Amino acid sequence: MADNKRYIIKITGIVQGVGFRPFIYTKAKSLSLNGWVNNISDGVVIEAEGKEGDLAYFVNAIEKDAPALSHIRSIDVTESVTVGYNGFEIRESFKSEENYIYISPDVSVCEDCRRELYDTSDRRYLYPFINCTNCGPRFTITKDTPYDRVNTTMDKFPMCRNCAEEYNNPLDRRYHAQPVSCYECGPKLRLLDNTLKEIFQKDLIEYTIRLMAEGNIIAIKGLGGYHLACDANNETAVRKLRDRKVRDDKPFAVMVRDVETALRLCSASEEEVKLLSSVQKPIVLLKKSRNYDLPVQIAPGNPFLGVMLPYTPVHMLLFKHINTGKKDIWCPDVDSRLSALVMTSGNRSSEPIYYEDNEAFENLKDIADFFLSNDREIHVRTDDSVTRVFSGKEFVIRRSRGYAPIPVVCDIFSEVFSEEVPSVLACGGELKNTFCMNRGNEFFLSHHIGDLENYETLISFEEGIQHFSRILNIDYKVVAYDIHPEYLSSKYSVSVKSDKKIPVQHHHAHIASCMAENNLSENIIGVAFDGTGLGEDGNIWGGEFFSGSYRGFKREGHLDYTGMPGGEAAIREPWRMAVSYLYKYLHAVNGFSEHDWGINCNNTRLFEAIGAGKISIVLQMLERGVNTPLTSSMGRLFDAVSALIGIRHVISYEGQAAIELEYIADMDVQETYEFIITEGEAASAPFRISTEGIIRGILKDMTAGVSNSRISGKFHETAAEIILKGCVHIRKETGLNKVVLSGGVFQNMTLLEKSLNKLRSSGFEAFIHSRVPTNDAGISLGQAVMAIFKA
């Protein structure tokens, strides 16, 4: 028609293998548009002809109604002369030597599949592997690109006639859904006992429910690995799981049947419920409610509970048959109480989650009583993601299943670089390791690898790098790594062939990571409060103030150095840090000896639980400087205060002392302890923050009988005041007004909130993490962006 127009629409992002072309086809047909759609190297291209109003509506609908698994990066619309297309079609994909494929993360069962799962007339009724183009496994089953069935772990399951018809029908919800299957042609469940003897039952789900109701621990194969699960209401089963896994105090995550159950156990805001129910189905940290009635062993001493909803068909089926409030039709002789299941990673202490069947069988047989497995292979191990809401916005703690490998887009590079942005492999740190590689201004953070403390995790790290490079078609020429020479990630970087290798200081990477996430490119003030990280002077940093940007940072100030007696042992045993601070500030003045540590505070000997012998050894280490590296870490100061007031002397998981100190804090306290900022001896030397007044003030409060809750509240207020005064000091010298906060200490929501309030009330623009973890899982992004500017 004469008044018709033709739009050429190019869309980039995760728009392949997620039902995007059928969505476009259906939407175009509904508007009587003519033309075609197909895949190109970096996305999808559409040519559509029709009335201008219909075309405008079409473009708007693409962004508004796109499939759940798609992530649109950009939509570029060009108007051109009409060519007279007749009808609308899906064309064969354009083949290109330059492959910019995006792989979708794994996401939870969609509503359409959920309805079919429980529909007695559907051929996939109660099928434990139901999925479609809008849901199910993606990243964890992808072996190579292009994303076709032959390149996934579904290649061993030839489609039956019915599934093939759905797969090839552009109007079907399962069009080109690579994991599509059914009872006839798909994976099968298996149930084994811990001697690996297979159990044959008519309904394995029913039998598994019965086993859990009887108090057994079940290793369940999920999307990215095995979980260890038990009835969360069964105190004996929870104790048994904690004992067998040798997990003293670290909280377990809980999977609950539905949102209503979550809201009975925990209080949750609208944002938290939305996050809990999102397609990612992460573990969300929620505040326990007054109605919380699960055993204390699930999250001992912790006011929060890590909660997630069922995200696979197997999970849903386990809950479908239970918690009806009466004897269940599927388990008529078992009272259904399983409204919540402990669902923790299937691994042994310090090892990565097990994802291969033989590995899981061998290593979990002494923990699990039974295995609910299946014959669909997992290609990439992927832990559950952990997140929470802070100030109405998501605050990611562990970015893995459901999030990886969606890239973090840093638009600043489009502004700064006129030429092509070099591709970098950033190897990350030692704890909570992730790696990162970029393609232009898109930065692909890996799934959670874990602590690089053993061979198994190192292999997972190396295999992950090879896999990302292959499936994302990234040929990196630059390698970035932490300056600590003993980190396994740093040692790995030495073995990698590259044009250039760039060391990046740990806390510089923290600040750069937060800057990149917030698309900042100018000079800023950076505050890095962390546990550990090798500094440029050879000491252990972690209470740092910087100025600068990606090309480099100047250390403007830091907490005064204190000894870490025993090095790593001082992290595991926070009482050592308490002794170190007392020695530093009281020994020289009052002539303290090992006999003088019985300071009378509430009539309790301060370190009665530790013993004079151990304290004497630590004092000698401090006196002689033996195995006592110096640290400026705010994390270690938190540890010292926690131990000093008797909250936690020895930890069983990372950060426990500081976490428990936060949880007892009186939030209404506005008093602070004294601290002094001292200028550096040389003009260019960083200022130092003396914490002597804090330690002396705490001892005074303890002697006066002030409650631990109030002491903790004053300490948190003081730490926030240190941040403010340090930033004000730098602003006076530099004129900078933007502040970036990063580092593991800022997982402390009390400190973060107090710090932001103080900074913003004083006229600062303050930036924090949201999509990228503030802990060490985020430093690979910072390493990558800094390496690009230094390459």
Side-chain angles (χ1 to χ4, degrees):
M1 296 177 64
D3 58 346
N4 275 4
K5 294 186 179 295
R6 172 171 164 241
Y7 280 6
I8 301 172
I9 307 166
K10 181 180 177 181
I11 304 169
T12 63
I14 300 178
V15 289
Q16 296 186 22
V18 294
F20 206 88
R21 288 182 299 163
F23 158 72
I24 294 295
Y25 177 87
T26 303
K27 188 68 68 176
K29 295 287 281 186
S30 71
L31 294 170
S32 299
L33 299 178
N34 297 318
W36 50 266
V37 58
N38 73 5
N39 290 333
I40 55 175
S41 62
D42 57 347
V44 165
V45 66
I46 306 162
E47 291 203 12
E49 292 183 346
K51 295 180 180 178
E52 186 172 11
D54 291 336
L55 288 169
Y57 181 88
F58 177 61
V59 172
N60 181 64
I62 290 173
E63 189 166 14
K64 185 167 65 75
D65 303 327
L69 291 186
S70 64
H71 291 265
I72 294 175
R73 168 81 194 284
S74 65
I75 300 178
D76 182 56
V77 181
T78 304
E79 187 175 331
S80 187
V81 295
T82 58
V83 295
Y85 290 120
N86 184 21
F88 199 92
E89 63 178 337
I90 298 176
R91 288 188 173 178
E92 288 295 316
S93 299
F94 173 75
K95 304 297 181 183
S96 170
E97 294 181 2
E98 211 174 6
N99 187 6
Y100 288 101
I101 292 296
Y102 297 82
I103 303 298
S104 168
D106 307 81
V107 295
S108 61
V109 179
C110 69
E111 283 302 303
D112 289 326
C113 284
R114 188 187 66 81
R115 282 191 291 270
E116 291 175 351
L117 184 66
Y118 301 135
D119 183 353
T120 56
S121 66
D122 194 276
R123 72 187 187 92
R124 292 187 177 89
Y125 173 58
L126 301 183
Y127 177 56
F129 303 97
I130 193 168
N131 67 84
C132 71
T133 316
N134 298 319
C135 68
R138 291 294 187 276
F139 174 59
T140 53
I141 64 170
T142 301
K143 296 188 293 185
D144 207 344
T145 55
Y147 177 65
D148 293 324
R149 194 179 182 100
V150 70
N151 290 322
T152 73
T153 60
M154 287 297 295
D155 61 343
K156 63 181 284 188
F157 303 103
M159 283 182 280
C160 66
R161 180 177 58 82
N162 288 331
C163 285
E165 286 179 358
E166 294 170 330
Y167 181 88
N168 290 301
N169 181 2
L171 296 179
D172 195 280
R173 200 175 82 253
R174 293 185 170 89
Y175 177 69
H176 282 199
Q178 306 307 334
V180 65
S181 62
C182 68
Y183 283 111
E184 183 179 345
C185 63
K188 302 290 191 292
L189 286 178
R190 298 176 66 203
L191 183 65
L192 304 90
D193 65 18
N194 58 7
T195 69
L196 305 187
K197 177 183 177 182
E198 188 156 2
I199 296 171
F200 297 96
Q201 291 285 330
K202 183 178 180 181
D203 190 323
L204 294 182
I205 293 290
E206 172 192 348
Y207 196 75
T208 301
I209 294 165
R210 189 188 307 273
L211 292 171
M212 284 196 287
E214 293 171 351
N216 288 288
I217 297 169
I218 314 294
I220 301 174
K221 188 176 182 179
L223 287 178
Y226 278 80
H227 285 103
L228 290 165
C230 70
D231 176 5
N233 287 281
N234 187 325
E235 183 176 344
T236 301
V238 175
R239 282 184 181 275
K240 182 167 66 173
L241 176 55
R242 192 171 284 285
D243 290 343
R244 288 183 182 178
K245 202 178 178 187
V246 193
R247 182 162 167 162
D248 295 336
D249 300 306
K250 190 174 182 180
F252 285 135
V254 171
M255 180 178 283
V256 298
R257 183 183 185 189
D258 47 32
V259 171
E260 289 70 28
T261 305
L263 293 178
R264 181 179 63 79
L265 296 171
C266 302
S267 58
S269 65
E270 183 179 340
E271 292 85 0
E272 287 169 330
V273 170
K274 184 178 180 181
L275 187 55
L276 188 69
S277 307
S278 66
V279 295
Q280 290 85 7
K281 294 293 190 299
I283 297 170
V284 182
L285 297 186
L286 301 176
K287 189 76 175 286
K288 293 175 183 175
S289 71
R290 292 182 178 178
N291 296 321
Y292 180 82
D293 57 2
L294 297 180
V296 67
Q297 292 82 10
I298 289 177
N302 197 315
F304 289 88
L305 182 69
V307 181
M308 60 178 158
L309 295 178
Y311 58 84
T312 71
V314 169
H315 296 148
M316 290 181 169
L317 292 175
L318 289 172
F319 284 103
K320 173 63 178 176
H321 299 318
I322 59 182
N323 193 34
T324 60
K326 52 189 175 183
K327 289 181 183 282
D328 195 279
I329 59 171
W330 285 88
C331 302
D333 58 341
V334 176
D335 281 327
S336 296
R337 299 182 297 105
L338 305 180
S339 59
L341 300 174
V342 169
M343 195 71 72
T344 188
S345 297
N347 59 359
R348 288 189 177 276
S349 178
S350 80
E351 292 190 358
I353 187 172
Y354 304 133
Y355 73 110
E356 294 179 330
D357 295 336
N358 291 337
E359 178 187 46
F361 296 158
E362 177 62 29
N363 290 287
L364 297 179
K365 64 185 180 183
D366 294 332
I367 302 176
D369 298 304
F370 296 89
F371 293 85
L372 182 62
S373 187
N374 63 73
D375 56 349
R376 184 178 69 197
E377 293 179 8
I378 299 169
H379 189 70
V380 182
R381 74 176 97 218
T382 309
D383 277 278
D384 294 316
S385 294
V386 183
T387 189
R388 70 189 308 167
V389 171
F390 174 75
S391 191
K393 191 175 181 182
E394 184 174 14
F395 189 86
V396 173
I397 298 167
R398 184 168 75 193
R399 186 181 185 273
S400 202
R401 176 188 53 78
Y403 294 80
I406 299 173
V408 175
V409 179
C410 301
D411 292 325
I412 54 169
F413 291 96
S414 302
E415 304 167 6
V416 177
F417 285 84
S418 56
E419 301 177 357
E420 182 180 354
V421 178
S423 288
V424 173
L425 164 65
C427 296
E430 186 84 343
L431 301 179
K432 298 180 177 65
N433 177 270
T434 64
F435 59 84
C436 178
M437 54 184 71
N438 71 298
R439 195 166 60 198
N441 61 352
E442 296 175 318
F443 290 78
F444 297 86
L445 268 76
S446 76
H447 50 297
H448 172 76
I449 302 297
D451 296 347
L452 290 182
E453 297 177 334
N454 52 51
Y455 177 75
E456 290 78 11
T457 314
L458 177 63
I459 292 300
S460 180
F461 168 78
E462 294 175 349
E463 290 176 347
I465 290 173
Q466 294 165 10
H467 186 59
F468 263 60
S469 178
R470 182 173 63 254
I471 66 171
L472 297 173
N473 194 34
I474 296 177
D475 182 20
Y476 52 83
K477 302 297 184 184
V478 179
V479 174
Y481 59 96
D482 194 281
I483 65 172
H484 198 305
E486 294 304 312
Y487 282 1
L488 292 181
S489 56
S490 300
K491 290 182 176 181
Y492 171 82
S493 69
V494 175
S495 66
V496 178
K497 292 183 179 180
S498 62
D499 293 347
K500 196 167 188 179
K501 292 177 181 167
I502 299 176
V504 180
Q505 197 278 324
H506 188 92
H507 300 99
H508 294 177
H510 267 302
I511 299 302
S513 172
C514 190
M515 289 180 65
E517 179 182 347
N518 287 282
N519 275 300
L520 300 174
S521 58
E522 62 271 54
N523 287 336
I524 52 86
I525 298 170
V527 181
F529 278 8
D530 202 26
T532 60
L534 184 64
E536 292 175 318
D537 60 359
N539 295 320
I540 306 300
W541 291 3
E544 314 305 311
F545 291 82
F546 301 105
S547 65
S549 189
Y550 302 115
R551 288 189 171 87
F553 292 98
K554 177 187 176 185
R555 193 187 193 200
E556 296 283 359
H558 59 88
L559 294 186
D560 210 357
Y561 283 126
T562 304
M564 278 181 66
E568 292 290 322
I571 299 174
R572 298 187 298 270
E573 300 179 342
W575 66 266
R576 292 172 178 258
M577 290 306 305
V579 171
S580 179
Y581 273 98
L582 289 172
Y583 175 85
K584 176 181 177 66
Y585 292 131
L586 302 181
H587 176 266
V589 176
N590 296 332
F592 270 43
S593 71
E594 61 197 74
H595 304 293
D596 298 313
W597 294 92
I599 302 170
N600 191 321
C601 298
N602 296 330
N603 298 315
T604 301
R605 291 182 65 83
L606 190 58
F607 296 113
E608 185 176 12
I610 306 304
K614 289 183 178 180
I615 292 175
S616 176
I617 293 172
V618 167
L619 287 173
Q620 291 177 48
M621 294 171 68
L622 290 163
E623 186 76 39
R624 300 169 185 173
V626 176
N627 191 20
T628 305
L630 296 178
T631 183
S632 60
S633 168
M634 176 59 82
R636 299 290 77 82
L637 178 58
F638 265 84
D639 284 353
V641 172
S642 181
L644 193 62
I645 66 176
I647 299 301
R648 178 62 58 177
H649 293 131
V650 178
I651 65 170
S652 63
Y653 64 90
E654 185 192 5
Q656 184 180 10
I659 289 169
E660 293 181 359
L661 180 65
E662 178 194 1
Y663 289 157
I664 67 163
D666 183 342
M667 296 292 291
D668 296 327
V669 173
Q670 294 185 333
E671 299 171 72
T672 61
Y673 293 112
E674 180 185 358
F675 62 90
I676 299 172
I677 296 179
T678 305
E679 294 289 354
E681 296 177 2
S684 59
F687 62 77
R688 291 175 290 108
I689 301 170
S690 171
T691 54
E692 179 175 355
I694 297 174
I695 300 301
R696 289 184 176 276
I698 289 173
L699 290 174
K700 182 179 179 182
D701 279 352
M702 291 173 68
T703 303
V706 176
S707 70
N708 281 350
S709 176
R710 187 164 188 83
I711 291 172
S712 177
K714 285 178 69 174
F715 176 68
H716 278 81
E717 186 74 13
T718 304
E721 191 70 14
I722 286 173
I723 291 171
L724 174 63
K725 292 295 171 58
C727 291
V728 168
H729 187 91
I730 297 170
R731 181 166 62 182
K732 288 179 180 177
E733 297 294 323
T734 65
L736 298 174
N737 198 55
K738 290 186 176 181
V739 177
V740 167
L741 306 179
S742 188
V745 170
F746 289 113
Q747 291 177 127
N748 183 318
M749 298 293 98
T750 301
L751 175 63
L752 187 61
E753 182 177 2
K754 286 178 176 290
S755 302
L756 288 174
N757 288 341
K758 287 177 180 289
L759 288 168
R760 289 167 178 166
S761 296
S762 298
F764 287 101
E765 283 188 78
F767 299 87
I768 63 173
H769 288 276
S770 173
R771 297 170 294 150
V772 176
T774 192
N775 57 48
D776 283 6
I779 66 169
S780 59
L781 173 61
Q783 290 173 347
V785 293
M786 290 196 72
I788 287 171
F789 277 84
K790 293 182 177 183

